[in-house]
């Protein structure tokens, strides 16, 4: 059975390059006809007329030649622009192309009129030049968009094309399209992991930097999840395929980046609204310019030239390009660093954020309990061995922490009989025939076991937010094991960075106040809202919003109501566990420094958007009055218009050099 997997990078690139190649063909075609027009106009202006030909016949011949050469430039190369732009005159919906289409059409018609009225200035050659320069600007824009989407191509290129599948004990090298969920794959050292899956055998370190941005490889062993397109480094891994095609992690990332790059943010809607008003206003201004110059100057040719210049210089191409090109560059940068901007509007909203609220478990902390302390009256190894033997039959998260510690020390588990798990309290059983238990103070008290001098160290550890497991053998305390959900390694620095630039940081947790405050003290957060049920987190976010705009950072699953309530939601995630659909911004690496980088990237991107809009308006503010005053020739006006688009493109790409 075959499946449709990710489109091969070569095909995807071919599709994305189609627009660029089209504009390139138009560009070459336009200038092939426009350059002879320019030469004819130069000859007409400089050489005057040939001594062996009548001056009138020469001029008439040049005018006809220019009309013939300009025709394919306007009505073949520029047909889409002409058709789309002129449609607005009949529908009332004016686009950016409306001004170019009307300006070039009027200029071309002056060439026809000049054949019959000698007093009329001929701008037919100018119309071809305007369209050729316009096409050149469109080609530059297409190239810029292609550059901005290279991150998607790079992601697609990461994927493997084939996989080693094990079937009936034999190894086959097959295309990805033939892999199904549940297949067993063999990945050798140095090979790409073909698809998302779970390790069922083997141990190795895996380089996930191309997907997560994390430079350090991650150790993988049985039960761990792996991401397709990452690189197996030093061991042989056997995987069971869990996701294929559009369900894979890489496919989700590609789709997410594509959606972001094509999305519109509020300021884009404002720019579109301005454009819809701006175009008809410019049409009126152009008509008034023509009327004014004709009435006061009595030169219809000069009046037409100035009116055309107004139409051309006012074309708001750069205005339409200002927001999307910056958004494309910013989202592409984020994808490379493991920061996925799921909703473009978050970029604009982020600049208003004053409060950053955090979930505790899985966000500020790793979400995986680990053994932090072991205290014993005798051998710590024996204590841990007995504890791990009892916990080996339990599925509790604390049991996993104890077992992981025992495995790390390569301890051999002992046989356990009469096993019984007492919910919420602990485990009892016989280890090699000796009665033993591991559990809470409450279980010890119920069993009549005296804690004696262990009361003090137990209370000390619990005061720091740790869970204490008491190990007892023959009704005598052997020692204690403290387990805690550890704070992420970069949490303190990340929070310090946020506070240094003025953000108010708050931790919201369902844990008791003592545990919450202990974690907060270590992390560097002074404000804690504890003992909050998941359904109540949204209410606390709403209360915080009374004092400012709030960004909420959570694991993206249990915190969904709070993330929906927040002005901006940032979803933490690691590997294939990432909840892509839950946040405005998703951090693939799942580390706290990513929060700082995401905020910095959002602000830098919006800063570029504002700069682009400034440049888009600046050209018009300066140039339109000059065109009305008759200072700008139509060709100069078109060059200035093209330069405004190029300025916006260059400025957006400078974002790539911004350190976040």
């Amino acid at each position: 059975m075959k499946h449709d997997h990710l489109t091969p990078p070569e095909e995807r690139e071919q599709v994305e390059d189609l627009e660029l190649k089209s504009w390139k063909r138009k560009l070459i075609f336009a200038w092939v006809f426009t350059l002879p027009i320019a030469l004819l106009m130069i000859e007409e202006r400089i050489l005057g007329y040939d001594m062996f030909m009548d001056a009138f016949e020469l001029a008439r011949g040049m005018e006809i030649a220019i009309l013939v050469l300009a025709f394919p430039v306007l009505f073949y190369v520029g047909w889409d622009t002409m058709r789309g732009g002129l449609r607005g005159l009949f529908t009332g919906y004016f686009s950016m192309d409306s001004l170019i289409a009307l300006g070039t059409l009027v200029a071309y018609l002056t060439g026809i009129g000049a054949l019959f009225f000698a007093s009329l200035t001929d701008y037919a050659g100018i119309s071809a030049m305007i369209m050729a320069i316009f096409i050149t600007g469109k080609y530059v824009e297409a190239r810029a968009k292609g550059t901005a989407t290279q991150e998607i191509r790079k992601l697609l290129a990461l994927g493997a094309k084939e996989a080693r599948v094990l079937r009936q004990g034999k190894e086959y090298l097959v295309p990805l399209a033939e892999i199904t969920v549940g297949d067993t794959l063999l990945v050798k050292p140095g090979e790409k992991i073909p698809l998302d899956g779970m390790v069922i055998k083997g141990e190795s370190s895996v380089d996930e930097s191309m997907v997560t941005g994390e430079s350090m490889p991650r150790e993988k062993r049985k039960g761990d999840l792996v991401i397709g397109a990452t690189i197996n480094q030093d061991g042989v891994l056997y995987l069971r395929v869990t996701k294929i095609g559009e369900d894979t992690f890489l496919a989700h990332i590609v789709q997410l980046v594509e959606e972001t790059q094509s999305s519109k943010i509020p300021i884009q809607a404002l720019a579109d609204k301005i454009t819809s008003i701006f175009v008809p206003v410019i049409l009126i201004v152009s008509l008034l310019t023509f009327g004014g110059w004709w009435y006061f100057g009595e030169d219809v040719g000069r009046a037409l030239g100035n009116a055309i210049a107004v139409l051309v210089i006012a074309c708001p191409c750069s205005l339409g390009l200002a927001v999307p090109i910056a958004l494309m560059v910013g989202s592409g940068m984020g994808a490379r660093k493991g920061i996925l901007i799921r909703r473009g509007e978050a970029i604009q909203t982020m600049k208003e954020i004053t409060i950053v609220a955090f979930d505790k478990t899985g966000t500020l902390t790793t979400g995986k309990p680990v053994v932090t302390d072991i205290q014993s009256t005798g051998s710590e190894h024996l204590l841990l061995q007995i504890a791990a033997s009892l916990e080996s039959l339990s599925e509790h998260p604390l049991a996993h922490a104890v077992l992981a510690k025992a495995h790390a020390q390569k301890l051999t588990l002992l046989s356990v009989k009469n096993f019984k798990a007492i919910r919420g309290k602990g485990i009892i059983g016989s280890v090699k025939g000796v009665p033993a238990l591991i559990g809470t103070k409450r279980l010890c008290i119920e069993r009549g076991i005296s804690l004696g001098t262990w009361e003090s160290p137990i209370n000390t550890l619990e005061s720091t937010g740790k869970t204490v497991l008491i190990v007892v053998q023959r009704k005598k305390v052997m020692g204690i094991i403290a387990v805690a959900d550890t704070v992420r390694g970069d949490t303190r620095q990340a929070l310090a960075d946020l506070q240094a630039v003025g953000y108010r940081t708050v931790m919201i947790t369902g844990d008791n106040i003592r545990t919450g405050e202990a974690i907060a003290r270590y992390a560097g957060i002074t404000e804690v809202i504890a003992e909050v049920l998941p359904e109540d987190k949204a209410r606390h976010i709403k209360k915080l919003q009374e004092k400012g705009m709030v960004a909420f950072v959570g694991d993206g699953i249990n915190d969904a109501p709070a993330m929906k309530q927040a002005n901006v939601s940032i979803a933490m995630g690691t590997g294939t566990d990432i909840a892509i659909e839950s946040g405005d911004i998703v951090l693939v690496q799942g580390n706290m420094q990513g929060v700082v980088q995401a905020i910095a990237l959002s602000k830098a991107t919006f800063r570029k958007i504002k700069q682009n809009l400034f440049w888009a308006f600046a050209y018009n503010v300066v140039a339109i009055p000059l065109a009305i005053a008759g200072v700008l020739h139509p060709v100069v006006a078109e060059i200035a218009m093209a330069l405004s688009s190029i300025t916006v493109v260059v400025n957006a790409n400078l974002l790539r050099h911004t350190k976040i």
Side-chain angles (χ1 to χ4, degrees), residues 192-203:
K192 285 184 180 179
I193 293 173
L195 295 164
D196 296 1
M198 176 182 288
V199 178
I200 58 175
K201 182 181 177 183
E203 293 186 5

Side-chain angles (χ1 to χ4, degrees), residues 41-68:
M41 292 176 66
I42 292 172
E43 183 178 351
E44 185 180 16
R45 294 286 181 87
I46 297 177
L47 301 181
Y49 58 88
D50 192 296
M51 61 182 297
F52 299 107
M53 291 184 65
D54 180 82
F56 178 77
E57 291 181 1
L58 176 64
R60 179 58 58 92
M62 285 188 172
E63 288 173 355
I64 293 174
I66 288 172
L67 280 171
V68 171

Side-chain angles (χ1 to χ4, degrees), residues 41-349:
M41 292 176 66
I42 292 172
E43 183 178 351
E44 185 180 16
R45 294 286 181 87
I46 297 177
L47 301 181
Y49 58 88
D50 192 296
M51 61 182 297
F52 299 107
M53 291 184 65
D54 180 82
F56 178 77
E57 291 181 1
L58 176 64
R60 179 58 58 92
M62 285 188 172
E63 288 173 355
I64 293 174
I66 288 172
L67 280 171
V68 171
L69 289 169
F71 186 86
V73 177
L74 266 64
F75 301 105
Y76 177 69
V77 178
W79 174 243
D80 289 338
T81 301
M82 297 291 288
R83 181 181 57 185
L86 294 176
R87 186 185 295 125
L89 298 177
F90 303 99
T91 63
Y93 176 78
F94 299 101
S95 67
M96 299 175 197
D97 292 342
S98 299
L99 300 180
I100 291 295
L102 189 59
T104 52
L105 180 62
V106 171
Y108 185 80
L109 292 176
T110 61
I112 297 175
L115 294 176
F116 304 99
F117 304 99
S119 61
L120 188 62
T121 303
D122 182 359
Y123 288 105
I126 300 300
S127 71
M129 290 184 184
I130 291 172
M131 184 59 74
I133 295 171
F134 176 76
I135 296 295
T136 303
K138 286 293 185 181
Y139 173 71
V140 172
E141 290 176 18
R143 278 188 63 89
K145 290 178 181 178
T147 301
T149 57
Q150 281 180 0
E151 285 76 14
I152 294 179
R153 295 180 185 176
K154 290 175 183 176
L155 286 171
L156 284 169
L158 293 175
K161 298 180 179 64
E162 296 178 315
R164 300 178 190 274
V165 61
L166 298 178
R167 289 172 180 164
Q168 297 178 343
K170 294 184 179 181
E171 177 186 323
Y172 300 92
L173 189 63
V174 300
L176 289 193
E178 297 181 10
I179 303 297
T180 61
V181 173
D183 276 348
T184 299
L185 304 183
L186 169 64
V187 186
K188 296 180 179 180
E191 292 183 341
K192 285 184 180 179
I193 293 173
L195 295 164
D196 296 1
M198 176 182 288
V199 178
I200 58 175
K201 182 181 177 183
E203 293 186 5
S204 182
S205 55
V206 175
D207 179 3
E208 298 183 338
S209 60
M210 65 287 296
V211 176
T212 66
E214 181 65 51
S215 59
M216 294 297 292
R218 294 184 178 180
E219 295 299 319
K220 301 292 182 179
R221 53 178 58 88
K222 184 178 179 180
D224 289 340
L225 298 173
V226 291
I227 306 170
T230 56
I231 298 175
N232 182 29
Q233 291 195 325
D234 52 19
V236 176
L237 291 176
Y238 291 83
L239 316 174
R240 185 175 69 249
V241 177
T242 57
K243 292 181 181 179
I244 59 174
E246 296 179 354
D247 295 328
T248 63
F249 181 71
L250 182 60
H252 276 303
I253 290 181
V254 171
Q255 181 184 2
L256 185 56
V257 175
E258 285 179 328
E259 289 174 354
T260 301
Q261 291 186 342
S262 61
S263 66
K264 288 190 176 183
I265 63 176
I267 199 169
Q268 173 71 65
L270 176 62
D272 291 344
K273 186 175 182 180
I274 291 173
T275 300
S276 66
I277 299 171
F278 181 75
V279 173
V281 168
I282 289 300
L283 290 174
I284 295 171
V285 171
S286 180
L287 286 172
L288 292 175
T289 300
F290 171 74
W293 275 93
W294 189 13
Y295 180 78
F296 293 105
E298 298 183 354
D299 184 347
V300 68
R302 181 75 184 278
L304 276 172
N306 292 339
I308 292 168
V310 170
L311 288 173
V312 170
I313 189 61
C315 180
C317 297
S318 57
L319 184 61
L321 189 64
V323 176
I325 192 66
L327 189 58
M328 291 175 78
V329 173
S331 61
M333 282 180 62
R336 291 202 312 273
K337 293 180 177 293
I339 301 168
L340 305 180
I341 303 171
R342 184 170 179 266
R343 282 186 276 269
E345 58 265 29
I347 288 176
Q348 183 170 343
T349 308

Side-chain angles (χ1 to χ4, degrees), residues 457-468:
I458 290 172
N459 292 335
T460 300
L461 290 169
E462 287 182 340
S463 68
T464 62
K466 298 177 180 179
T467 300
V468 179

